Amino acid sequence: MEDEFHELTDRVRAELRSPQDLVAYERLLGLARKNSPAGREELARMLTAVERPLWAREIAAFILGCAGDKRAFETLVLLLNYREPVRCATAAHALGRLNDPRTARAAAALATNPLRTAYALHPVRLLVELRAPQSAPALIATLERLLTPHTPYWRVALACVEGLGALGDKRAVPALRAATGHPRLAAAAAASLARLGVHEDPPAAGPAGPAAEGAAGKADGTGPAG
């Protein structure tokens, strides 16, 4: 947790706008260092306190989540689907350590919601990390929905392709085969299929029709005489 916590606190420090913010920030860091039951109770109260800034709730939820305190769940899920990717990544890290059975269901719901596809990257990655029963079905459904030409969410589709290879669930084979037809996904899809023990045949050089067969015959002397 230490590296991720330092990244979080360094980022938040740059967001502070007043001396009062700095005092509250230092108070949070003190509670984190203390790591006592009383300190965790105070952090939990911050999650629901009125008019607490988002950065304060983010730090409190991260500390509690990494400690396995399930009171952080709702705040972390909110941040997992937030419009700022860096907050999504922080929430995903803590949710991966929370050990709450609700986490996979929530991540699957976010990943498969077509209205929130722009923010689905970290829910998809979290599902791969969790390796839960919901993980492969959610990634398959999301990938199938994104296998359209010119989708702006190809990075989400790529995370699904790579994640399905890592999960090793053969239910993903049809979706991965379909993904091989998309230039940005083809290499990763082939690699994931190989991890599943499926090796695609190379594409044919071209259609073989009567004209092609005639030309081949003439070249080797077996074709009809002209």
Side-chain angles (χ1 to χ4, degrees):
M1 162 182 156
E2 192 160 332
D3 290 343
E4 290 79 8
F5 184 63
H6 286 156
E7 289 176 10
L8 168 60
T9 54
D10 288 348
R11 169 169 57 81
V12 165
R13 189 177 182 91
E15 298 177 16
L16 304 180
R17 295 291 178 265
S18 69
Q20 292 81 7
D21 284 348
L22 182 59
V23 170
Y25 170 82
E26 294 293 347
R27 172 69 178 164
L28 278 168
L29 296 192
L31 291 172
R33 285 190 290 267
K34 188 182 292 185
N35 192 28
S36 66
R40 286 192 290 276
E41 288 299 322
E42 185 170 345
L43 290 168
R45 287 193 295 271
M46 288 184 184
L47 299 179
T48 56
V50 177
E51 296 184 354
R52 283 285 183 181
L54 180 62
W55 59 260
R57 287 184 287 139
E58 182 181 11
I59 291 177
F62 183 88
I63 296 168
L64 291 171
C66 289
D69 191 318
K70 293 177 173 54
R71 289 174 292 184
F73 175 79
E74 285 81 6
T75 301
L76 290 172
V77 169
L78 171 70
L79 292 167
L80 180 64
N81 201 226
Y82 202 68
R83 64 180 177 269
E84 296 175 45
V86 67
R87 295 193 195 277
C88 300
T90 298
H93 180 85
L95 283 166
R97 285 140 190 83
L98 183 59
N99 196 29
D100 189 313
R102 297 172 295 173
T103 299
R105 294 193 296 271
L110 294 174
T112 57
N113 185 345
L115 301 179
R116 305 297 292 173
T117 305
Y119 311 109
L121 181 62
H122 290 286
V124 164
R125 290 175 174 170
L126 177 58
L127 284 166
V128 178
E129 179 183 349
L130 294 173
R131 305 183 77 88
Q134 298 90 342
S135 296
L139 266 63
I140 292 167
T142 302
L143 176 59
E144 289 175 338
R145 177 165 48 82
L146 295 177
L147 290 179
T148 57
H150 314 300
T151 177
Y153 307 120
W154 65 269
R155 288 182 177 84
V156 176
L158 181 61
C160 291
V161 167
E162 293 172 341
L164 288 168
L167 290 172
D169 191 318
K170 292 209 170 182
R171 289 175 293 177
V173 168
L176 290 171
R177 279 183 167 144
T180 61
H182 293 254
R184 282 174 163 162
L185 307 177
S192 288
L193 284 167
R195 294 181 75 174
L196 294 173
V198 178
H199 298 277
E200 297 291 273
D201 292 331
E213 291 171 1
K218 288 179 181 179
D220 62 11
T222 61

